[in-house]
Amino acid sequence: MTSAPADKPSDVLVDVKNLCFRRGGRVIFEGVSLQIRRGEVTAIMGPSGTGKTTLLRLIGGQLRPDSGTVTVLGQNVHKLGRDALFRLRRRMGMLFQSGALFTHQSVFENVAFPLREHTDLPEPLIHDLVLMKLQAVGLRGARDMMPSELSGGMARRVALARAVALDPTIMMYDEPFAGQDPISMGVLVTLIRRLNDALGLSSVVVSHDVVETSQIADTIHVLSEGRVVESGSPEELARSESAWVKQFMRALPDGPVAFHYPGPSLEDDLLGVR
Amino acid sequence: MLGFFALLGRKTLDSFGRLGRATLFLLRALAGLPSLLPRPTLVIQQLYSIGVLSLLIIVVSGVFVGMVLALQGYNTLVTFGAEQSLGVLVALSLLRELGPVVTALLFAGRAGSALTAEIGLMKTTEQLSGMEMMAVDPMKRVVAPRLLAGFIAMPLLAAIFSFLGIMGAYVVSVATLGVDDGAFWSQMQSAVDFREDVMNGVIKSLVFGFVASWIAVFEGYDCEPTSEGVSRATTRTVVHTSLAVLGLDFVLTAVMFG
Ligand SMILES: Nc1ncnc2c1ncn2[C@@H]1O[C@H](COP(=O)(O)OP(=O)(O)O)[C@@H](O)[C@H]1O
Ligand SMILES: [Mg+2]
């Protein structure tokens, strides 16, 4: 790491520098740089398909960038060997968009999974820890249910309990609000902020839900077409002069991002010779 | 015409790519085997779902194949007045060929397809990714126990198949075809060689078990993470396993008995 005393480098948990990434010839990122600071909730926003999930997978070391570096907790993720990467991942929690619960195991066993895999704790202690994590997400009473019996919001909260089971330093959320009804949306919004502050986590929330994300984020990075187009606090972004950011933050149907996907003109399609 | 060669070339490259991936995959899975030593329960659970749950179809097929063998064999042998050797015919057919081969084909349809679908669905629903992000290697936690359990279960299932086939043939021969009880067993005992016949059959079933489990877990892990992807991978498991088993059986038979 470079010495930049003014920037207090120890406060930067994740440092993404000049990240470039291509997938099947398509450029997803061309020179993305951003930082995630200790104790904050950092949001990464952008329309669907900009590569938000891809960015989380790059940070977690599941994908390899074409160029650029990702430094997590002072370690270059893509220079680590498999064992070192797995050690680093124990300090990262990730909430997948789908929840990714193990469908053949009960809620209790799902949350116990990381504890059983990574610790030698005796069964009574695992039992208590799991119930504490489930209590934190309000689902202690659902411990014996199977994932197929849970509603979408409950499944996501169970996945959240599982992700924080090992007390990670960094929590990453992939679209935590997508497809939720207003009540479970509100529950998740407060839960993410509360867990962040109560457990002393640092959180990365990837989302395209502007209102909910603005409520809890300390810093927002807006991604578009492979770049960070603007960064700042929610208030700063709300006052942004950029036409693109305005359209995105205020959810206007047409603007720099056209409503119509590029294609031949309507006249050609309907009246043209075939 | 050019299109045909382009297609042929692409298919060939595809096949080699798949073979390469399958080999690398196998090496990684084998490297995960030692991690199972301290956790035998992972393998025992899989032995249950791969082996025990396949028992019904193996038992029923074994008995019926044995009974049919006896009926058909009797018709031929009786014209030479050799029907007292029915036990030998049945035992050799089952131990050398039908036991390992039919068990492997049934195994592909019953257990292999289930393995592929299970792993493929775990991939599609991001359970494997989730595991990786929890710093748990799916190769060690998911793939290795299933590979090992399939390898262990297959020879045992083949042994059960052959044993029940012989018992089925015995009942039909002695009870309905009038073959002498003592001749059935004593002729079998003197004609069947332990090393030559029994062990070669066991070796076959070990090879088939290894290949069938390998194909099943690989297809699941390598599948395209969509519902069509899982369904295609499941079909491929059954087809590839069957072809591989029949091809290998020819080679092994040529080497062992040729
Ligand atoms: N496995 C894959 N293979 C090829 N392209 C992919 C794959 N996964 C995602 N993509 C492409 O990468 C782009 C970014 O995807 P993603 O990170 O999921 O976007 P977001 O999460 O922002 O909606 C998408 O346009 C998608 O088409
Ligand atoms: Mg996404």
Side-chain angles (χ1 to χ4, degrees):
Chain A
M1 236 195 244
T2 51
S3 57
D7 207 27
K8 282 211 285 172
S10 65
D11 257 11
V12 176
L13 293 187
V14 181
D15 193 2
V16 178
K17 278 212 185 85
N18 281 321
L19 195 69
C20 296
F21 183 72
R22 250 179 305 259
R23 204 156 205 179
R26 235 192 96 210
V27 177
I28 312 271
F29 298 122
E30 43 179 348
V32 167
S33 298
L34 54 86
Q35 295 185 327
I36 286 147
R37 285 164 200 289
R38 188 183 297 277
E40 287 191 354
V41 175
T42 307
I44 296 171
M45 309 199 63
S48 297
T50 33
K52 303 183 297 296
T53 303
T54 309
L55 184 61
L56 289 187
R57 287 186 189 273
L58 283 161
I59 294 175
Q62 288 194 316
L63 294 172
R64 207 157 251 292
D66 295 320
S67 67
T69 57
V70 178
T71 314
V72 176
L73 299 166
Q75 290 173 289
N76 183 336
V77 174
H78 302 97
K79 289 258 158 61
L80 295 177
R82 205 171 169 75
D83 290 342
L85 178 62
F86 272 34
R87 266 198 305 282
L88 182 62
R89 278 188 188 158
R90 286 188 213 178
R91 305 180 58 190
M92 300 191 229
M94 172 122 151
L95 183 71
F96 282 83
Q97 197 167 345
S98 61
L101 291 176
F102 302 132
T103 42
H104 61 286
Q105 291 181 335
S106 67
V107 164
F108 182 94
E109 284 304 318
N110 263 286
V111 180
F113 179 85
L115 296 167
R116 292 196 203 284
E117 289 294 318
H118 291 305
T119 67
D120 289 323
L121 297 176
E123 196 53 37
L125 199 50
I126 288 190
H127 178 264
D128 293 353
L129 276 173
V130 170
L131 290 192
M132 276 160 60
K133 300 294 173 188
L134 282 174
Q135 171 76 11
V137 298
L139 290 177
R140 193 166 40 82
R143 73 187 98 163
D144 293 324
M145 290 167 85
M146 294 304 281
S148 55
E149 302 170 292
L150 301 174
S151 73
M154 286 162 82
R156 220 162 276 186
R157 277 147 69 194
V158 173
L160 181 51
R162 185 178 69 174
V164 296
L166 286 175
D167 294 319
T169 313
I170 305 169
M171 251 319 284
M172 300 192 275
Y173 301 87
D174 191 1
E175 308 270 9
F177 314 122
Q180 299 293 316
D181 62 71
I183 297 178
S184 50
M185 192 114 110
V187 169
L188 282 164
V189 169
T190 40
L191 203 50
I192 291 174
R193 187 75 233 188
R194 218 178 62 214
L195 283 177
N196 188 78
D197 300 342
L199 302 180
L201 300 172
S202 309
S203 310
V204 186
V205 180
V206 149
S207 177
H208 53 225
D209 295 290
V210 177
V211 182
E212 289 73 26
T213 312
S214 299
Q215 286 172 24
I216 51 168
D218 297 302
T219 311
I220 299 182
H221 301 282
V222 183
L223 279 181
S224 170
E225 313 206 325
R227 294 173 183 284
V228 178
V229 288
E230 197 145 343
S231 303
S233 67
E235 298 76 37
E236 283 164 357
L237 285 188
R239 290 194 304 267
S240 167
E241 289 304 314
S242 147
W244 193 93
V245 176
K246 260 188 205 158
Q247 186 192 352
F248 182 74
M249 298 296 284
R250 296 184 196 157
L252 307 174
D254 215 348
V257 182
F259 170 70
H260 291 290
Y261 192 83
S265 74
L266 185 63
E267 290 79 6
D268 285 354
D269 257 2
L270 295 183
L271 305 172
V273 269
R274 253 164 271 185
Chain B
M1 197 63 196
L2 212 59
F4 169 74
F5 281 112
L7 187 72
L8 191 70
R10 196 160 53 240
K11 289 274 178 212
T12 314
L13 283 181
D14 266 6
S15 310
F16 277 106
R18 180 182 295 274
L19 199 63
R21 285 202 305 281
T23 310
L24 282 179
F25 171 87
L26 178 65
L27 294 179
R28 283 175 59 204
L30 292 179
L33 288 180
S35 71
L36 296 176
L37 276 179
R39 309 184 59 184
T41 41
L42 286 181
V43 183
I44 292 169
Q45 279 166 3
Q46 292 310 317
L47 275 175
Y48 177 77
S49 63
I50 294 173
V52 177
L53 295 184
S54 304
L55 267 180
L56 182 66
I57 189 168
I58 295 293
V59 167
V60 173
S61 310
V63 171
F64 276 90
V65 166
M67 295 196 304
V68 170
L69 263 183
L71 288 176
Q72 292 284 9
Y74 181 82
N75 282 337
T76 311
L77 289 180
V78 80
T79 52
F80 306 108
E83 69 272 14
Q84 298 303 327
S85 303
L86 197 52
V88 180
L89 175 102
V90 169
L92 287 184
S93 318
L94 282 168
L95 290 172
R96 286 179 170 191
E97 288 296 336
L98 292 175
V101 172
V102 176
T103 306
L105 297 179
L106 293 172
F107 183 85
R110 170 62 184 80
S113 57
L115 276 181
T116 304
E118 186 189 16
I119 297 179
L121 274 176
M122 287 181 84
K123 181 177 181 180
T124 308
T125 54
E126 293 188 312
Q127 294 180 45
L128 296 183
S129 272
M131 221 178 248
E132 265 185 29
M133 280 309 296
M134 285 187 275
V136 176
D137 189 350
M139 276 299 193
K140 293 181 183 162
R141 185 64 174 66
V142 175
V143 172
R146 285 168 174 75
L147 187 68
L148 184 61
F151 183 63
I152 297 173
M154 178 50 213
L156 297 177
L157 291 173
I160 292 170
F161 183 97
S162 295
F163 171 74
L164 288 171
I166 292 172
M167 293 319 282
Y170 169 74
V171 170
V172 170
S173 317
V174 175
T176 67
L177 299 174
V179 174
D180 180 62
D181 190 348
F184 185 89
W185 293 118
S186 66
Q187 293 222 14
M188 188 192 300
Q189 203 175 11
S190 61
V192 174
D193 182 66
F194 179 74
R195 216 202 61 79
E196 179 81 352
D197 301 314
V198 179
M199 280 322 285
N200 277 342
V202 170
I203 291 173
K204 275 188 180 178
S205 62
L206 281 170
V207 172
F208 296 163
F210 176 73
V211 171
S213 322
W214 175 20
I215 292 178
V217 288
F218 171 71
E219 289 294 350
Y221 201 82
D222 194 58
C223 82
E224 193 195 318
T226 61
S227 20
E228 308 91 79
V230 175
S231 107
R232 270 201 303 271
T234 311
T235 309
R236 264 205 308 269
T237 292
V238 177
V239 174
H240 288 188
T241 307
S242 307
L243 293 179
V245 163
L246 295 171
L248 280 170
D249 184 51
F250 178 77
V251 174
L252 288 173
T253 305
V255 171
M256 289 168 170
F257 305 104

